[in-house]
Amino acid sequence: MNLLRAAATVSSLTLLSRVTGLARDLLISRIFGVSAATDAFNVAFRIPNLLRRLFAEGAFQQAFVPILADTRTRQGDAGMRHLVDHVAAALFWTLFLVSVLGVIAAPVLVWVIATGLAREAQTFELATAMTRWMFPYILCMSLVAFSAGVLNTFKRFAIPAVTPVLLNLSFIACALWLAPRLTVPIFSLAFAVIIGGVVQLAFQVPALHRLGMLPRVGNPLRGFRDESVRRILRLMLPAVFAVSVAQLSIIINTNIASHLATGSVTWLAFADRLMEFPTALLGVALGTVLLPSLSAAFAEQRKDDYSRLLDWGLRLTLVLALPAAVGLGMLAEGLVAVLFQGGKFSWHDVQQTALALVGYAIGLIGLIAVKILAPGFYAQRDIKTPVKIAVSSLVVTQLANLGLVPLLGHAGLALSVSIGACANAALLFAGLWRRGIFVPQPGWLGFAVRLAVGLGAMVAWLGWMRNLIDWQAAHQLWTTRALLLAAVIAAAGGIYFAALWMLGFRPRNFVLRG
């Protein structure tokens, strides 16, 4: 299949998800502002999200997709269906038990992830109550990730890519309709999470049914006795550790933020949401498309194709991620002002969120490159190497925190994450190259020079605009600022891609089949 077209499909549908996500955040920022209550929600939501990344999008996906692709290659769809039933049973009952334990242990979990909230009993109790409401989200989202793994193996990328839109719509509906009707309005966001999780899972069912892959959730013991399920578990164990390292870094940073100025957790959360926009459009889309193709190439021993896939992913990442990083960093204040300022979200909140966004933008290329490089190991069922590298990047991140947080506060936390992400990507790249897994295709020097020229033209334009525009100016209405920001971004993109075109870049250069 045409991987550029597949990646474009996933990316365009992910764009819809991110646009609705920005709409949701725009509403949340204006309705709830930045306060101890929003800090409590962001801490509570982070707990099931961390476990979702651990059990669903992280360790499980990395272990499940390569085994699923291998089973389909060797045993056909019948063998794949057998595996799907057994994995579904094992996953459902395991996550059901985890959800029950999470609801019971919510106070301990909140204290572990954000000890600073314990200074205010009311905020701590609010975070605990919302954690209990939202914890079953992990069960729904793990099953959504399971379904996405099956659909992606069949190269059905559209349904999994559009599913997150439903969570955003749930947030928007609950914030607008439910929040005014509750004594504690912030609880409407907790209810939105669990409603959105259930709706996302239900949305996947018809697609699985059409493929004949709708699982039967039976006895989990039979599932655990399946040798393929055991292979997935053996691969998951180091993957769990690898993802745990990344999540441990998030936990440490959240805990540090909870001890900083009130609102720090929320400022970081809003900045992170903006960072997720390009990360999902590029990193998640490319990683989603690459992993099944890499797994198939490895199963069929097509080493040249394997290396070519990685080379394609890296080039496309650089062409799209570098201008995104430059744009986020140089337009941070304008982006935050247009998207979030208003209602209870003040100009001070804009400035603080923008500082965090600049810190995150510095590491955007690293954050996205990891999603391209790590599948190079996962598809070969080598998860131990990314684990070791993840541990090293965790150490780098926390050492950076020691020096940067006292100087920059919450922005120092964002910058430390960026430094750790870049270190992670660099070590992954070195490992692939050193082992001969990735052999660069010809033309990288010319590619880099032309890319630098295009970026230079874009930086010159944004630097000029940044000196001309006062995003705080009181006379500027929201529509005026929004149109101005859109015009600046459109012109920056036009200048960048026009420069690349004049230097010989063409879309056909990035067409690849796999």
Side-chain angles (χ1 to χ4, degrees):
M1 67 182 300
N2 185 328
L3 290 185
L4 181 60
R5 182 177 298 169
T9 299
V10 175
S11 189
S12 61
L13 293 173
T14 305
L15 175 62
L16 177 61
S17 168
R18 295 307 163 185
V19 168
T20 55
L22 286 176
R24 126 195 169 180
D25 289 339
L26 187 149
L27 281 173
I28 290 173
S29 66
R30 283 161 169 71
I31 293 173
F32 300 100
V34 176
S35 64
T38 58
D39 280 356
F41 168 75
N42 282 304
V43 166
F45 190 31
R46 183 150 291 174
I47 294 171
N49 254 339
L50 290 174
L51 291 174
R52 183 202 76 200
R53 291 171 183 170
L54 183 65
F55 286 103
E57 297 165 359
F60 174 73
Q61 281 276 46
Q62 294 159 14
F64 179 53
V65 172
I67 297 298
L68 197 63
D70 182 63
T71 300
R72 191 183 184 200
T73 299
R74 297 176 184 276
Q75 301 177 26
D77 288 351
M80 183 178 176
R81 172 58 193 264
H82 184 74
L83 176 61
V84 163
D85 286 346
H86 285 176
V87 171
L91 185 67
F92 175 85
W93 292 111
T94 299
L95 269 298
F96 178 80
L97 179 60
V98 169
S99 296
V100 172
L101 293 175
V103 170
I104 295 170
V108 177
L109 294 171
V110 172
W111 185 85
V112 167
I113 198 172
T115 55
L117 294 187
R119 293 175 301 183
E120 298 182 17
Q122 185 176 3
T123 303
F124 184 84
E125 290 172 5
L126 184 61
T128 299
M130 286 192 285
T131 298
R132 286 188 163 129
W133 271 104
M134 290 188 282
F135 211 94
Y137 175 73
I138 182 186
L139 173 61
C140 295
M141 294 312 299
S142 295
L143 293 174
V144 167
F146 162 82
S147 303
V150 176
L151 293 171
N152 289 340
T153 301
F154 279 93
K155 307 295 172 60
R156 303 292 197 274
F157 298 114
I159 295 294
V162 78
T163 299
V165 172
L166 301 173
L167 176 63
N168 295 328
L169 294 178
S170 176
F171 267 111
I172 292 169
C174 288
L176 289 174
W177 182 81
L178 188 58
R181 292 167 169 77
L182 296 179
T183 305
V184 183
I186 198 73
F187 266 105
S188 64
L189 301 184
F191 299 148
V193 170
I194 194 63
I195 292 169
V198 172
V199 172
Q200 286 180 91
L201 180 58
F203 186 68
Q204 303 272 28
V205 170
L208 290 175
H209 181 71
R210 285 193 296 271
L211 291 173
M213 289 292 162
L214 186 64
R216 293 184 290 269
V217 179
N219 186 342
L221 297 179
R222 291 183 60 189
F224 283 116
R225 285 195 292 265
D226 187 305
E227 180 55 32
S228 293
V229 174
R230 292 180 180 180
R231 287 171 64 201
I232 292 171
L233 290 174
R234 284 195 293 269
L235 285 174
M236 273 191 70
L237 288 177
V240 164
F241 187 71
V243 179
S244 296
V245 171
Q247 304 315 310
L248 178 60
S249 183
I250 294 173
I251 290 171
I252 294 171
N253 282 13
T254 302
N255 217 318
I256 294 171
S258 73
H259 288 275
L260 300 176
T262 298
S264 293
V265 174
T266 303
W267 294 326
L268 286 165
F270 278 120
D272 184 60
R273 286 292 298 168
L274 284 174
M275 281 296 296
E276 286 181 2
F277 202 94
T279 302
L281 287 180
L282 306 177
V284 174
L286 289 172
T288 297
V289 170
L290 275 175
L291 184 55
S293 296
L294 286 169
S295 299
F298 177 73
E300 297 164 13
Q301 294 297 303
R302 293 184 281 114
K303 294 182 180 180
D304 290 343
D305 287 345
Y306 198 95
S307 181
R308 189 164 49 87
L309 285 164
L310 288 172
D311 189 276
W312 171 82
L314 285 174
R315 292 197 190 211
L316 200 55
T317 295
L318 291 172
V319 166
L320 298 176
L322 284 173
V326 169
L328 284 172
M330 297 188 73
L331 291 175
E333 210 169 72
L335 285 165
V336 176
V338 169
L339 293 172
F340 303 136
Q341 188 183 10
K344 296 183 179 180
F345 200 93
S346 68
W347 178 251
H348 174 69
D349 295 324
V350 169
Q351 292 176 304
Q352 299 306 312
T353 304
L355 287 173
L357 182 56
V358 171
Y360 281 135
I362 291 170
L364 178 63
I365 190 66
L367 291 167
I368 294 178
V370 166
K371 297 182 181 298
I372 307 303
L373 296 166
F377 292 97
Y378 301 144
Q380 296 196 355
R381 301 169 205 167
D382 176 9
I383 299 177
K384 292 182 180 179
T385 299
V387 168
K388 295 174 183 177
I389 291 173
V391 171
S392 299
S393 66
L394 171 63
V395 173
V396 169
T397 300
Q398 298 313 318
L399 287 175
N401 276 338
L402 290 175
L404 294 173
V405 173
L407 293 174
L408 303 175
H410 70 287
L413 289 170
L415 184 54
S416 296
V417 169
S418 289
I419 293 170
C422 290
N424 195 346
L427 291 170
L428 287 169
F429 179 84
L432 290 170
W433 197 347
R434 188 172 56 250
R435 294 185 185 186
I437 297 172
F438 168 61
V439 179
Q441 301 294 302
W444 267 94
L445 180 59
F447 172 84
V449 170
R450 287 177 290 170
L451 198 59
V453 173
L455 284 171
M458 179 181 173
V459 167
W461 163 257
L462 290 177
W464 183 39
M465 287 295 100
R466 191 167 64 172
N467 292 330
L468 288 179
I469 301 171
D470 179 6
W471 295 107
Q472 188 186 8
H475 67 275
Q476 290 177 329
L477 299 175
W478 182 87
T479 51
T480 304
R481 288 199 296 188
L483 290 172
L484 183 59
L485 179 66
V488 171
I489 293 173
I495 289 169
Y496 174 71
F497 286 109
L500 294 187
W501 180 274
M502 288 188 290
L503 291 168
F505 277 56
R506 297 291 184 272
R508 65 175 177 271
N509 300 145
F510 297 94
V511 173
L512 182 68
R513 296 186 178 274

